[in-house]
Amino acid sequence: MATRNEHVAVGAVRRNFAPWSEPGAEPLIRFDGVTKRYGAVTAVDALSLSIYEREFFCLLGPSGCGKTTLMRLLAGFETPDEGRVLLAGVDQAAIPPHLRPVNMMFQSYALFPHMSVEGNIAFGLRQEGLPRDEIRARVDDMLRLVQLSGLAKRRPDQLSGGQRQRVALARALAKRPKVLLLDEPLAALDKKLREATQFELMDIQMSLGTTFLVVTHDQEEAMAMADRIAVMGHGRIAQLDPPNVIYEQPASRYVAQFIGDVNLLEGEVTGRDGDLCTVSCPAVGSALLVASTEPSAPGQAVAVAIRPEKMRLGRGLPPPGTANAIVGEVWDIGYLGDWTTYVIRLADGHLLRASQANVARFVEQPLTWEETVHAVFAPDAAVLLSR
Amino acid sequence: MASRRGRGSSGGALVRIWPFAWLVVFFALPCLLVLRISLSEVATAQPPYRPVIDWSAGLDGVLAAAAELSLDNFRLLLDDGLYWQSALSSVRLAATATLLLLVVGYPMAHAAARLAKRWREIVVILIVLPFWTSFLIRVYAWIGILKPEGLLNTALLKVGIIAAPLEILNTETAILIGLVYSYLPFMVLPLYATLEKLDGTLIEAAQDLGATPTKAFWAVTVPLSWPGIVAGTLLCFIPMVGEFVIPDLLGGSETLMIGRTLWSEFFGNRDWPLASAVAVVLLVLLVGPIVVFRELEARRSAPGAGGRTGGS
């Protein structure tokens, strides 16, 4: 039902899309020192952020991090206590929600239960006072776009969850907004449908050229769809980067832990040779070598962040002289089919996660419980985090 | 096992029959009794009417009764203008009061439903609070307020808005005031119940799509509170048509309302058959609007009956 195979060209067009790195590019949306408080709680804290035209932008964070408030500030349902929200250079402070050139797809979809699919999609166009023929044509276009042409007369309660999601999308896109706001757009769908819909959203965004601002707590969703992700925590932006940078070069322990699995080994910088830092980690026993361009002085407390898939496991003790070898015993094994995750217990009780791709179907002697193993990683496979 | 199941299902049958039995004993049978009296003639007796059917004559008596079935009482209702005029003016007054109740009650229910939860509960208690005083006393109190030298006139004269006391008591205005006051909770509570359940994001969605707050109200809030509007209207309109106490106390002697007419036929003229005929006609008059409303509601909630999008 939700399969489309037309998302071929996306990568090609996307390859060189990076307006945020072009000097002098005007952002479409600008949050300028925005603060929003609810009583004693500061939901958004002096936050500044620029989003560019045609961008697929994700606000990612746990619940309560202020991401939804930020979106509602842009839609006009909340007013900032401090700072400005600008859209295409215009301060939105005095503009009520119904006059803003943004449309929102609500998490609950908020479809009007007393109207048909057609009526829901036409609602926004009717408010504009468009002629009847034009409304009909635009509604038909939208129904085709989300592949619901046969269901125009249905009521929302006669639709499946996936179909409702499409109606909500069509309704929000019908007015051709400058910015489409999507609040947890895929949260209510099951896993299979979610993956298919991800690609569909990307296709639709590409073909319409609308700027998408997605709020989500699901990192996979954000990683798969976004041009850039803003990881939020406590009303601030913890990191703002493209997905691969967020994953491979997290800026802080918070970001590293929020995105994907990571092992954090706390320690202290003891020496530095060019880009190569020596870090002593009490949990490991031996010193670790980590490549880092960040200036870090000896004595500085840092965490060595290493993703499970960036370590290689070997049986027994490592050959003498091997750099970055962490010795422990297999504590737990999680077989996932494509990957196997090993939990390795270090001498001091620390647990380390290492995952290995199952490239061969049969292994003579697979690693087993309580076996002594060593995990090895290259100096540039880990990241030094000082925050 | 089988016997247990048997007992269970007979208990289930009892539960299913119970409401019907209740309706038969306390609604259908009394209705038939009234209908029977309405077909009989007045007599100086106890009770003051002559039975239609002579049961002692057996089947012959029933046949004789059927042969000379008297619809005289109903014919009289049609011939004498008093009855259909009072029925008509009852419906007119009840309809006006229902409209006023919607105008007054809807904003109240809407505002109450939008309050914080704690305040909402307090407001609901305040709406129900008048029920703790006798209905009769509350209507009497209105006499004190509305009479020429009453509270309202004294206040208005003091402030200087009027030069002479207003003639409100014993007019239709007084009846309407009394009706709106007395039935307000019956209008507000069902409206509040539906408006409280209304999903606030629907209003946000309407505004997000370009509807002004006013348009969002008419296109989303009102249609979605339709069940509450129907329930409140029925709860108020039906008893108001047959209302007796309010027109009797506030409306003065010339007021034509079917409830008063009914009362005076029963107790003033001791003409039970005619009074019963009035009651039967009143019942039929009231069943009409219920059927219409139910039909409207069924049509609105019927699946696939889209297209009613409003706001255009």
Side-chain angles (χ1 to χ4, degrees):
Chain A
M1 181 189 72
T3 49
R4 294 208 329 179
N5 298 315
E6 297 149 30
H7 52 266
V8 187
V10 174
V13 184
R14 279 280 161 211
R15 204 164 295 144
N16 296 318
F17 182 77
W20 52 87
S21 59
E22 287 165 24
E26 267 304 309
L28 178 62
I29 304 163
R30 204 149 70 83
F31 291 93
D32 187 9
V34 173
T35 297
K36 176 70 189 175
R37 295 184 202 89
Y38 297 105
V41 181
T42 306
V44 176
D45 190 2
L47 185 144
S48 294
L49 174 65
S50 292
I51 298 169
Y52 295 84
E53 200 166 349
R54 305 179 81 89
E55 206 179 338
F56 199 126
F57 194 96
C58 264
L59 289 168
L60 177 63
S63 63
C65 71
K67 57 189 194 300
T68 303
T69 308
L70 207 57
M71 174 177 272
R72 291 175 60 84
L73 281 163
L74 186 56
F77 298 129
E78 311 283 353
T79 47
D81 294 322
E82 284 161 37
R84 296 185 304 162
V85 179
L86 294 108
L87 189 70
V90 182
D91 190 344
Q92 299 291 302
I95 303 177
H98 67 272
L99 296 178
R100 295 196 184 189
V102 301
N103 284 128
M104 184 153 165
M105 192 181 128
F106 290 79
Q107 184 176 4
S108 62
Y109 306 147
L111 297 179
F112 304 126
H114 57 302
M115 299 181 196
S116 62
V117 166
E118 212 172 28
N120 267 283
I121 298 172
F123 186 88
L125 304 172
R126 294 218 168 110
Q127 307 308 317
E128 282 179 25
L130 289 178
R132 206 171 269 268
D133 297 346
E134 167 126 32
I135 292 179
R136 176 146 296 277
R138 294 261 287 263
V139 168
D140 287 345
D141 280 352
M142 282 300 137
L143 285 170
R144 254 197 308 280
L145 183 73
V146 297
Q147 298 168 49
L148 288 176
S149 295
L151 305 177
K153 304 288 179 200
R154 293 264 187 101
R155 295 274 193 110
D157 60 1
Q158 297 169 307
L159 300 176
S160 72
Q163 289 167 338
R164 258 179 255 168
Q165 193 256 9
R166 285 144 181 276
V167 176
L169 181 66
R171 187 179 71 173
L173 282 171
K175 293 190 73 172
R176 299 178 184 159
K178 280 187 183 159
V179 183
L180 181 70
L181 310 175
L182 301 101
D183 190 1
E184 304 275 2
L186 309 177
L189 305 180
D190 61 53
K191 191 168 162 34
K192 274 256 158 63
L193 193 52
R194 199 156 60 214
E195 280 171 9
T197 312
Q198 270 174 17
F199 287 112
E200 259 188 326
L201 278 178
M202 291 161 76
D203 287 350
I204 288 173
Q205 194 258 346
M206 277 306 298
S207 61
L208 298 180
T210 311
T211 307
F212 274 32
L213 173 59
V214 176
V215 155
T216 180
H217 69 279
D218 184 329
Q219 42 142 328
E220 274 179 38
E221 209 171 292
M223 302 282 280
M225 296 192 292
D227 291 316
R228 283 193 302 162
I229 297 174
V231 181
M232 288 189 67
H234 310 294
R236 293 167 178 270
I237 292 178
Q239 187 170 3
L240 170 59
D241 272 311
N244 61 319
V245 180
I246 297 257
Y247 188 79
E248 303 295 1
Q249 297 165 44
S252 63
R253 293 175 177 88
Y254 173 81
V255 175
Q257 282 181 308
F258 189 76
I259 308 287
D261 269 341
V262 74
N263 297 297
L264 287 182
L265 299 164
E266 297 292 338
E268 186 183 295
V269 178
T270 54
R272 181 166 192 134
D273 178 16
D275 280 350
L276 222 50
C277 289
T278 315
V279 184
S280 98
C281 294
V284 179
S286 64
L288 298 174
L289 283 175
V290 181
S292 169
T293 49
E294 303 274 317
S296 47
Q300 193 181 355
V302 290
V304 177
I306 174 93
R307 304 270 184 205
E309 78 277 8
K310 296 204 165 50
M311 287 190 278
R312 262 179 310 108
L313 282 181
R315 178 168 275 128
L317 292 170
T322 313
N324 289 349
I326 305 171
V327 180
E329 70 173 35
V330 177
W331 188 252
D332 223 335
I333 300 173
Y335 177 74
L336 302 173
D338 47 354
W339 289 86
T340 301
T341 301
Y342 297 89
V343 179
I344 296 152
R345 193 169 187 270
L346 307 186
D348 73 336
H350 246 83
L351 296 178
L352 195 73
R353 295 167 77 86
S355 47
Q356 306 290 294
N358 294 322
V359 285
R361 290 181 62 212
F362 302 105
V363 180
E364 280 284 314
Q365 271 189 305
L367 294 175
T368 185
W369 282 268
E370 293 178 17
E371 199 172 347
T372 301
V373 291
H374 60 276
V376 186
F377 63 93
D380 61 359
V383 183
L384 267 195
L385 301 174
S386 54
R387 279 188 287 137
Chain B
M1 237 9 227
S3 75
R4 268 180 66 93
R5 201 179 300 150
R7 213 163 2 142
S9 77
S10 79
L14 188 69
V15 168
R16 260 169 275 141
I17 286 170
W18 180 244
F20 293 102
W22 182 276
L23 276 178
V24 166
V25 173
F26 293 105
F27 182 73
L29 280 181
C31 274
L32 285 175
L33 284 176
V34 170
L35 186 64
R36 194 179 64 127
I37 297 173
S38 74
L39 295 174
S40 63
E41 287 169 31
V42 192
T44 316
Q46 194 64 260
Y49 62 92
R50 193 179 305 141
V52 187
I53 302 170
D54 184 5
W55 291 108
S56 58
L59 190 61
D60 291 343
V62 176
L63 288 177
E68 53 188 83
L69 192 63
S70 159
L71 289 172
D72 285 350
N73 292 318
F74 290 95
R75 226 165 274 139
L76 183 65
L77 288 187
L78 279 179
D79 290 345
D80 192 335
L82 173 78
Y83 299 103
W84 58 261
Q85 271 169 22
S86 64
L88 219 61
S89 87
S90 293
V91 169
R92 182 174 51 81
L93 275 168
T96 314
T98 306
L99 266 178
L100 288 173
L101 278 163
L102 270 172
V103 172
V104 175
Y106 202 102
M108 279 176 75
H110 192 263
R114 290 282 158 277
L115 289 172
K117 196 171 181 339
R118 198 165 59 91
W119 290 106
R120 259 187 317 205
E121 282 163 7
I122 293 174
V123 166
V124 170
I125 291 172
L126 286 177
I127 291 170
V128 182
L129 203 62
F131 286 130
W132 292 41
T133 327
S134 155
F135 169 67
L136 212 54
I137 291 174
R138 282 182 285 132
V139 178
Y140 265 116
W142 274 103
I143 297 179
I145 296 171
L146 297 178
K147 65 185 175 185
E149 66 280 17
L151 222 55
L152 182 67
N153 276 318
T154 318
L156 291 178
L157 283 169
K158 276 247 171 66
V159 178
I161 294 175
I162 52 170
L166 292 175
E167 199 68 48
I168 302 178
L169 196 63
N170 300 337
T171 64
E172 273 191 3
T173 313
I175 299 179
L176 286 175
I177 290 174
L179 287 174
V180 170
Y181 165 77
S182 304
Y183 283 88
L184 195 57
F186 297 104
M187 183 57 91
V188 172
L189 288 177
L191 283 173
Y192 168 82
T194 50
L195 286 170
E196 196 216 358
K197 275 183 286 178
L198 190 79
D199 181 2
T201 56
L202 292 177
I203 312 298
E204 281 187 350
Q207 293 190 25
D208 186 67
L209 292 166
T212 60
T214 319
K215 270 191 171 174
F217 174 78
W218 287 108
V220 178
T221 311
V222 170
L224 289 179
S225 59
W226 185 247
I229 295 174
V230 170
T233 302
L234 288 179
L235 269 176
C236 293
F237 179 77
I238 292 166
M240 281 196 303
V241 170
E243 180 62 50
F244 164 71
V245 173
I246 295 170
D248 192 55
L249 291 179
L250 302 178
S253 50
E254 292 105 77
T255 315
L256 276 180
M257 273 191 86
I258 198 82
R260 264 180 60 95
T261 311
L262 189 69
W263 190 89
S264 60
E265 288 301 341
F266 253 116
F267 300 102
N269 301 345
R270 271 183 78 76
D271 190 344
W272 285 26
L274 188 61
S276 299
V278 171
V280 169
V281 170
L282 185 60
L283 187 70
V284 172
L285 273 179
L286 292 181
V287 166
I290 298 177
V291 171
V292 170
F293 266 123
R294 285 201 61 102
E295 185 59 32
L296 275 176
E297 200 173 3
R299 205 177 302 159
R300 277 193 90 103
S301 57
R308 281 208 53 85
T309 45
S312 58

